[in-house]
Amino acid sequence: GAVVSQHPSRVICKSGTSVKIECRSLDFQATTMFWYRQFPKQSLMLMATSNEGSKATYEQGVEKDKFLINHASLTLSTLTVTSAHPEDSSFYICSASFGLVLTDTQYFGPGTRLTVL
Amino acid sequence: GQQLNQSPQSMFIQEGEDVSMNCTSSSIFNTWLWYKQDPGEGPVLLIALYKAGELTSNGRLTAQFGTTRKDSFLNISASIPSDVGIYFCAGLYSGGGADGLTFGKGTHLIIQP
């Protein structure tokens, strides 16, 4: 149980385009979903927390107009990287939780590798 | 923000050896989590610790929540090839109206043939 999927697993795009990444909880309803960014050989950095039906809460330093998060249902959250640039290239990982806060157990998706040319 | 020091950064061991890694901080955490991440995959939760002093096992893995709430360790006994990967600790803290999650920088475990 507690399976989280992400789509796509890999995406390559041109600079200036927007990319949408989907995160789905397949066998449970996720009250909260989290989005992380991971650079090569680095740790995970929390970008934002989203609760179904409300606006996402962004961590300090993360541009909310750059990284648009929509949590339309209890099983789906999307992250859109708008006007992507090469420095946005990274591994983006989502996680989903039954609870409302970071202290509740998170189940991670397999990640999406974004490469911006 | 909270800082976690995870060590060692990498380990080169022989199959069958025991492994030990730890995370320390100058800050207090309410929960310690240990994850394993395979290349190109998301992290998988191994063990969660919720109380100071708690010692929890998951198969060949054992983790402990330090009594000061500022550290945690993870041991792997009798390592096998599939243990290769990157192990992350993560500390959760709450208080002052804010919850936070901090990850360590990871321990890269390499098993030599």
Side-chain angles (χ1 to χ4, degrees):
Chain A
V3 178
V4 177
S5 71
Q6 278 183 243
H7 178 80
S9 58
R10 288 179 178 271
V11 56
I12 301 173
C13 69
K14 292 183 179 180
S15 185
T17 61
S18 294
V19 175
K20 180 185 284 189
I21 303 170
E22 292 185 348
C23 177
R24 293 182 184 271
S25 55
L26 298 183
D27 53 359
F28 68 102
Q29 292 187 323
T31 309
T32 309
M33 288 187 172
F34 304 88
W35 286 96
Y36 294 84
R37 185 174 182 177
Q38 186 180 32
F39 291 105
K41 298 185 179 181
Q42 296 292 319
S43 189
L44 287 80
M45 298 296 294
L46 179 65
M47 298 174 66
T49 303
S50 73
N51 297 108
E52 184 263 339
S54 61
K55 290 184 179 180
T57 302
Y58 290 81
E59 295 298 299
Q60 192 173 9
V62 178
E63 299 175 61
K64 61 181 181 181
D65 295 328
K66 173 77 171 174
F67 299 99
L68 299 178
I69 293 172
N70 183 277
H71 195 157
S73 74
L74 286 172
T75 60
L76 173 64
S77 176
T78 60
L79 168 68
T80 301
V81 183
T82 62
S83 187
H85 288 92
E87 59 266 27
D88 298 323
S89 298
S90 189
F91 194 51
Y92 292 87
I93 307 175
C94 73
S95 70
S97 170
F98 296 99
L100 295 172
V101 295
L102 288 166
T103 48
D104 295 311
T105 300
Q106 298 176 44
Y107 299 92
F108 285 84
T112 296
R113 173 77 58 195
L114 170 63
T115 303
V116 185
L117 302 176
Chain B
Q2 312 290 339
Q3 300 266 340
L4 282 183
N5 299 309
Q6 185 170 350
S7 65
Q9 187 175 10
S10 58
M11 299 183 72
F12 296 79
I13 63 166
Q14 302 281 345
E15 182 178 351
E17 287 186 25
D18 296 341
V19 172
S20 183
M21 60 191 78
N22 68 83
C23 277
T24 61
S25 176
S26 58
S27 305
I28 291 175
F29 290 96
N30 304 114
T31 302
W32 283 96
L33 307 168
W34 284 93
Y35 290 89
K36 182 188 179 210
Q37 185 177 27
D38 292 325
E41 298 289 331
V44 174
L45 180 65
L46 300 174
I47 294 178
L49 303 160
Y50 301 105
K51 289 175 55 177
E54 180 181 352
L55 182 71
T56 298
S57 294
N58 178 6
R60 294 176 295 104
L61 278 62
T62 302
Q64 184 160 30
F65 192 143
T67 54
T68 65
R69 295 171 61 193
K70 296 180 179 180
D71 61 339
S72 177
F73 71 75
L74 174 71
N75 288 342
I76 305 173
S77 62
S79 59
I80 59 177
S82 61
D83 291 334
V84 167
I86 302 176
Y87 292 80
F88 290 100
C89 64
L92 291 166
Y93 57 93
S94 60
D99 292 328
L101 171 68
T102 302
F103 279 82
K105 293 189 175 181
T107 295
H108 192 178
L109 180 61
I110 300 163
I111 298 180
Q112 296 172 322

